[in-house]
Short mmCIF file of all heavy atoms in Angstrom, two decimals:
data_model
loop_
_atom_site.label_atom_id
_atom_site.label_comp_id
_atom_site.label_asym_id
_atom_site.label_seq_id
_atom_site.Cartn_x
_atom_site.Cartn_y
_atom_site.Cartn_z
N ASP A 10 11.47 -15.64 -6.79
CA ASP A 10 11.54 -14.49 -7.72
C ASP A 10 10.45 -13.45 -7.43
O ASP A 10 10.15 -12.61 -8.28
CB ASP A 10 11.42 -14.98 -9.17
CG ASP A 10 10.10 -15.71 -9.44
OD1 ASP A 10 9.38 -16.06 -8.47
OD2 ASP A 10 9.77 -15.90 -10.61
N GLY A 11 9.89 -13.47 -6.25
CA GLY A 11 8.80 -12.57 -5.89
C GLY A 11 9.17 -11.11 -6.01
O GLY A 11 10.33 -10.72 -5.90
N VAL A 12 8.15 -10.27 -6.22
CA VAL A 12 8.33 -8.83 -6.35
C VAL A 12 7.46 -8.15 -5.30
O VAL A 12 6.28 -8.47 -5.16
CB VAL A 12 7.94 -8.35 -7.77
CG1 VAL A 12 8.05 -6.83 -7.88
CG2 VAL A 12 8.81 -9.04 -8.82
N PHE A 13 8.06 -7.20 -4.59
CA PHE A 13 7.38 -6.41 -3.59
C PHE A 13 7.49 -4.95 -4.01
O PHE A 13 8.58 -4.42 -4.09
CB PHE A 13 8.06 -6.64 -2.23
CG PHE A 13 7.42 -5.95 -1.05
CD1 PHE A 13 6.19 -5.34 -1.12
CD2 PHE A 13 8.09 -5.94 0.15
CE1 PHE A 13 5.63 -4.73 -0.02
CE2 PHE A 13 7.57 -5.32 1.27
CZ PHE A 13 6.32 -4.71 1.19
N GLU A 14 6.34 -4.34 -4.31
CA GLU A 14 6.36 -2.97 -4.81
C GLU A 14 5.51 -2.06 -3.92
O GLU A 14 4.46 -2.46 -3.42
CB GLU A 14 5.72 -2.90 -6.21
CG GLU A 14 6.53 -3.56 -7.29
CD GLU A 14 5.82 -3.41 -8.62
OE1 GLU A 14 4.98 -4.26 -8.94
OE2 GLU A 14 6.11 -2.39 -9.31
N ALA A 15 5.98 -0.82 -3.80
CA ALA A 15 5.23 0.25 -3.16
C ALA A 15 5.26 1.41 -4.17
O ALA A 15 6.07 2.32 -4.06
CB ALA A 15 5.86 0.66 -1.84
N PRO A 16 4.41 1.32 -5.21
CA PRO A 16 4.49 2.26 -6.35
C PRO A 16 4.38 3.74 -6.00
O PRO A 16 4.83 4.57 -6.78
CB PRO A 16 3.34 1.83 -7.24
CG PRO A 16 2.97 0.47 -6.83
CD PRO A 16 3.32 0.37 -5.39
N LEU A 17 3.76 4.08 -4.88
CA LEU A 17 3.59 5.50 -4.54
C LEU A 17 4.79 6.08 -3.79
O LEU A 17 4.84 7.30 -3.57
CB LEU A 17 2.31 5.69 -3.72
CG LEU A 17 1.02 5.21 -4.39
CD1 LEU A 17 -0.16 5.42 -3.46
CD2 LEU A 17 0.81 5.91 -5.73
N MET A 18 5.72 5.25 -3.40
CA MET A 18 6.90 5.75 -2.66
C MET A 18 7.83 6.51 -3.59
O MET A 18 8.10 6.06 -4.68
CB MET A 18 7.68 4.58 -2.03
CG MET A 18 6.98 3.91 -0.87
SD MET A 18 6.53 5.00 0.48
CE MET A 18 8.10 5.56 1.04
N PRO A 19 8.32 7.66 -3.13
CA PRO A 19 9.29 8.39 -3.97
C PRO A 19 10.65 7.70 -3.92
O PRO A 19 10.97 6.99 -2.96
CB PRO A 19 9.35 9.77 -3.28
CG PRO A 19 8.91 9.53 -1.87
CD PRO A 19 7.97 8.36 -1.90
N ALA A 20 11.42 7.90 -4.95
CA ALA A 20 12.77 7.33 -4.99
C ALA A 20 13.57 7.85 -3.81
O ALA A 20 13.44 9.01 -3.42
CB ALA A 20 13.43 7.71 -6.31
N GLY A 21 14.38 7.00 -3.21
CA GLY A 21 15.22 7.40 -2.11
C GLY A 21 14.56 7.39 -0.75
O GLY A 21 15.20 7.73 0.25
N ALA A 22 13.29 7.03 -0.66
CA ALA A 22 12.61 6.96 0.64
C ALA A 22 13.14 5.80 1.46
O ALA A 22 13.71 4.85 0.91
CB ALA A 22 11.09 6.82 0.41
N ALA A 23 12.94 5.88 2.77
CA ALA A 23 13.39 4.80 3.66
C ALA A 23 12.70 3.49 3.32
O ALA A 23 13.31 2.43 3.35
CB ALA A 23 13.15 5.17 5.14
N PHE A 24 11.41 3.55 3.01
CA PHE A 24 10.67 2.35 2.61
C PHE A 24 10.97 2.09 1.13
O PHE A 24 10.79 2.97 0.31
CB PHE A 24 9.17 2.53 2.84
CG PHE A 24 8.40 1.24 2.76
CD1 PHE A 24 8.19 0.47 3.88
CD2 PHE A 24 7.87 0.81 1.55
CE1 PHE A 24 7.49 -0.72 3.83
CE2 PHE A 24 7.17 -0.39 1.48
CZ PHE A 24 6.97 -1.14 2.61
N PRO A 25 11.42 0.87 0.79
CA PRO A 25 11.79 0.63 -0.60
C PRO A 25 10.60 0.67 -1.57
O PRO A 25 9.50 0.28 -1.24
CB PRO A 25 12.36 -0.79 -0.56
CG PRO A 25 12.08 -1.33 0.79
CD PRO A 25 11.57 -0.24 1.68
N ARG A 26 10.88 1.18 -2.75
CA ARG A 26 9.84 1.31 -3.77
C ARG A 26 9.59 -0.01 -4.51
O ARG A 26 8.45 -0.37 -4.81
CB ARG A 26 10.23 2.40 -4.78
CG ARG A 26 9.19 2.64 -5.82
CD ARG A 26 9.64 3.72 -6.80
NE ARG A 26 8.75 3.73 -7.93
CZ ARG A 26 7.88 4.68 -8.18
NH1 ARG A 26 7.80 5.71 -7.40
NH2 ARG A 26 7.09 4.60 -9.22
N LYS A 27 10.66 -0.74 -4.85
CA LYS A 27 10.50 -2.01 -5.54
C LYS A 27 11.67 -2.93 -5.16
O LYS A 27 12.83 -2.55 -5.23
CB LYS A 27 10.48 -1.82 -7.05
CG LYS A 27 10.24 -3.12 -7.80
CD LYS A 27 10.10 -2.88 -9.31
CE LYS A 27 9.83 -4.19 -10.03
NZ LYS A 27 9.69 -3.98 -11.48
N LEU A 28 11.29 -4.15 -4.79
CA LEU A 28 12.28 -5.17 -4.44
C LEU A 28 11.97 -6.40 -5.29
O LEU A 28 10.82 -6.82 -5.38
CB LEU A 28 12.19 -5.54 -2.96
CG LEU A 28 12.38 -4.36 -1.99
CD1 LEU A 28 12.04 -4.78 -0.57
CD2 LEU A 28 13.80 -3.81 -2.08
N THR A 29 13.01 -6.98 -5.87
CA THR A 29 12.83 -8.15 -6.74
C THR A 29 13.64 -9.30 -6.21
O THR A 29 14.87 -9.20 -6.06
CB THR A 29 13.24 -7.82 -8.18
OG1 THR A 29 12.48 -6.68 -8.62
CG2 THR A 29 12.99 -8.99 -9.11
N GLY A 30 12.99 -10.40 -5.94
CA GLY A 30 13.65 -11.61 -5.43
C GLY A 30 13.64 -11.67 -3.92
O GLY A 30 13.71 -10.67 -3.23
N ARG A 31 13.53 -12.88 -3.44
CA ARG A 31 13.43 -13.12 -2.00
C ARG A 31 14.61 -12.53 -1.22
O ARG A 31 14.44 -11.95 -0.16
CB ARG A 31 13.31 -14.62 -1.74
CG ARG A 31 12.99 -14.96 -0.30
CD ARG A 31 12.93 -16.46 -0.08
NE ARG A 31 11.76 -17.01 -0.71
CZ ARG A 31 11.66 -18.32 -1.06
NH1 ARG A 31 12.67 -19.14 -0.88
NH2 ARG A 31 10.55 -18.76 -1.61
N GLU A 32 15.82 -12.67 -1.77
CA GLU A 32 16.99 -12.18 -1.05
C GLU A 32 17.04 -10.68 -0.97
O GLU A 32 17.43 -10.10 0.05
CB GLU A 32 18.27 -12.76 -1.65
CG GLU A 32 18.39 -14.27 -1.50
CD GLU A 32 18.09 -14.73 -0.05
OE1 GLU A 32 18.64 -14.16 0.92
OE2 GLU A 32 17.28 -15.68 0.09
N GLU A 33 16.63 -9.98 -2.03
CA GLU A 33 16.57 -8.52 -1.98
C GLU A 33 15.49 -8.07 -0.98
O GLU A 33 15.68 -7.10 -0.24
CB GLU A 33 16.33 -7.92 -3.36
CG GLU A 33 16.41 -6.40 -3.36
CD GLU A 33 16.29 -5.79 -4.74
OE1 GLU A 33 15.85 -6.47 -5.69
OE2 GLU A 33 16.63 -4.59 -4.85
N ILE A 34 14.38 -8.75 -0.98
CA ILE A 34 13.31 -8.44 -0.03
C ILE A 34 13.84 -8.62 1.40
O ILE A 34 13.65 -7.76 2.25
CB ILE A 34 12.06 -9.33 -0.28
CG1 ILE A 34 11.43 -8.96 -1.61
CG2 ILE A 34 11.06 -9.23 0.88
CD1 ILE A 34 10.40 -9.95 -2.13
N ARG A 35 14.54 -9.72 1.63
CA ARG A 35 15.08 -10.01 2.98
C ARG A 35 16.03 -8.91 3.43
O ARG A 35 15.87 -8.37 4.52
CB ARG A 35 15.80 -11.36 2.95
CG ARG A 35 16.32 -11.80 4.31
CD ARG A 35 17.14 -13.11 4.20
NE ARG A 35 16.69 -14.06 3.23
CZ ARG A 35 15.73 -14.98 3.43
NH1 ARG A 35 15.12 -15.07 4.58
NH2 ARG A 35 15.40 -15.82 2.47
N SER A 36 16.99 -8.56 2.64
CA SER A 36 18.01 -7.60 3.07
C SER A 36 17.46 -6.17 3.18
O SER A 36 17.74 -5.48 4.15
CB SER A 36 19.23 -7.64 2.16
OG SER A 36 18.89 -7.26 0.85
N ALA A 37 16.64 -5.76 2.22
CA ALA A 37 16.11 -4.39 2.27
C ALA A 37 15.12 -4.22 3.41
O ALA A 37 15.12 -3.17 4.08
CB ALA A 37 15.43 -4.04 0.93
N MET A 38 14.30 -5.22 3.66
CA MET A 38 13.32 -5.10 4.74
C MET A 38 14.02 -5.20 6.10
O MET A 38 13.57 -4.56 7.08
CB MET A 38 12.19 -6.10 4.58
CG MET A 38 11.31 -5.82 3.36
SD MET A 38 10.70 -4.10 3.24
CE MET A 38 9.60 -4.06 4.65
N ALA A 39 15.08 -5.96 6.22
CA ALA A 39 15.85 -6.00 7.48
C ALA A 39 16.38 -4.61 7.79
O ALA A 39 16.30 -4.13 8.95
CB ALA A 39 16.98 -7.01 7.39
N ALA A 40 16.92 -3.93 6.79
CA ALA A 40 17.43 -2.58 6.99
C ALA A 40 16.28 -1.62 7.35
O ALA A 40 16.43 -0.78 8.24
CB ALA A 40 18.14 -2.09 5.73
N TYR A 41 15.13 -1.76 6.67
CA TYR A 41 14.01 -0.89 6.98
C TYR A 41 13.50 -1.12 8.38
O TYR A 41 13.20 -0.20 9.11
CB TYR A 41 12.89 -1.08 5.94
CG TYR A 41 11.70 -0.21 6.31
CD1 TYR A 41 11.75 1.16 6.13
CD2 TYR A 41 10.55 -0.77 6.88
CE1 TYR A 41 10.69 1.98 6.51
CE2 TYR A 41 9.49 0.03 7.24
CZ TYR A 41 9.55 1.39 7.06
OH TYR A 41 8.51 2.19 7.45
N TYR A 42 13.35 -2.39 8.79
CA TYR A 42 12.85 -2.68 10.12
C TYR A 42 13.79 -2.14 11.20
O TYR A 42 13.33 -1.70 12.26
CB TYR A 42 12.65 -4.20 10.31
CG TYR A 42 11.51 -4.76 9.49
CD1 TYR A 42 11.58 -6.08 9.01
CD2 TYR A 42 10.39 -4.02 9.18
CE1 TYR A 42 10.54 -6.61 8.26
CE2 TYR A 42 9.37 -4.53 8.44
CZ TYR A 42 9.45 -5.84 7.97
OH TYR A 42 8.43 -6.37 7.21
N GLU A 43 15.09 -2.18 10.95
CA GLU A 43 16.04 -1.60 11.91
C GLU A 43 15.79 -0.11 12.06
O GLU A 43 15.75 0.40 13.18
CB GLU A 43 17.48 -1.88 11.45
CG GLU A 43 18.50 -1.41 12.44
CD GLU A 43 19.89 -1.75 12.01
OE1 GLU A 43 20.11 -2.86 11.47
OE2 GLU A 43 20.80 -0.90 12.21
#
């Protein structure tokens, strides 16, 4: 249930602003790394 936040990121930026849960972190960061 981990949370990964980048509070200074604007909405809609390539780097996600907030991810909740391991699976959301996995999928969003895979897209960002690509």
Side-chain angles (χ1 to χ4, degrees):
D10 61 345
V12 176
F13 183 11
E14 292 181 272
L17 302 179
M18 289 304 297
F24 193 89
R26 183 180 168 109
K27 184 176 182 180
L28 303 171
T29 303
R31 189 182 289 157
E32 294 313 311
E33 186 175 15
I34 292 167
R35 184 184 325 275
S36 63
M38 293 309 292
Y41 177 72
Y42 292 148
E43 184 176 321

